[in-house]
Amino acid sequence: MIVHYMQPHAPYRPFVQEHPEWYSLTVGMDNPEDRPDMNMWERIRTKRVSAEKAWDAYRDTLRWVLDDGIEPLLRNIDADKVVLTSDHGEGFGDWWYYGHSTPAPIPPLKRVPWAVTSATDEGSVEPTIRPEAIRLENDEIEERLAALGYR
């Protein structure tokens, strides 16, 4: 079984709560002017937001998915071996790179965690959503893929 959690992917929870307009997949990184639609990475690059504040937001979002997503999963499946890892890292100005929008072969993007643990089903969560209840129409799938930058 492979389970993919979107978080701690940007947008980071604290920034979404405080400034939802900061996150956009369509706003580029090449315009240094201060404007309302300037995304989080532009704000870090132009020193409007400190990398430290962004790391704090990243850690908050990571803690959220570990506590509310992964921990309950590990208490509700049986597995002798569970690997927790990531599909990519994130650039916070390292090597003059922000985010992960292009496949740059740099350590901050390629170095990912690898933790091995186990899981025991304690039966503490009973799922209430049936897979057929969350089916999407083709146009909805295409819209979501486009919003994520895959189309």
Side-chain angles (χ1 to χ4, degrees):
M1 177 186 316
I2 296 174
V3 179
H4 180 265
Y5 288 90
M6 193 63 169
Q7 300 304 337
H9 198 279
Y12 305 136
R13 191 169 66 149
F15 288 153
V16 170
Q17 292 167 344
E18 295 172 29
H19 305 284
E21 72 280 5
W22 284 10
Y23 187 72
S24 169
L25 292 170
T26 59
V27 176
M29 297 271 294
D30 298 324
N31 187 348
E33 296 175 20
D34 195 4
R35 52 189 206 287
D37 63 346
M38 186 178 271
N39 70 30
M40 177 188 75
W41 298 115
E42 289 177 284
R43 291 175 187 279
I44 296 167
R45 183 177 57 83
T46 59
K47 309 287 190 243
R48 288 168 175 86
V49 171
S50 71
E52 181 179 329
K53 184 171 181 173
W55 269 113
D56 288 345
Y58 176 90
R59 281 189 287 270
D60 172 86
T61 306
L62 176 60
R63 176 56 47 206
W64 174 49
V65 74
L66 289 173
D67 292 347
D68 294 351
I70 294 173
E71 184 179 335
L73 179 66
L74 294 179
R75 286 188 276 115
N76 287 279
I77 62 170
D78 286 317
D80 293 332
K81 187 179 208 178
V82 175
V83 174
L84 303 175
T85 189
S86 177
D87 56 343
H88 59 75
E90 204 80 276
F92 287 88
D94 311 283
W95 295 56
W96 306 279
Y97 194 86
Y98 298 85
H100 65 273
S101 60
T102 59
I106 59 173
L109 300 186
K110 302 299 180 187
R111 200 175 300 126
V112 296
W114 186 269
V116 179
T117 187
S118 61
T120 303
D121 188 353
E122 301 169 358
S124 61
V125 174
E126 186 64 37
T128 57
I129 297 175
R130 296 181 318 276
E132 61 271 10
I134 57 172
R135 290 185 194 267
L136 298 175
E137 298 298 321
N138 282 343
D139 58 335
E140 291 175 296
I141 293 169
E142 289 302 317
E143 280 180 30
R144 290 184 184 195
L145 288 171
L148 292 169
Y150 294 111
R151 294 279 194 257

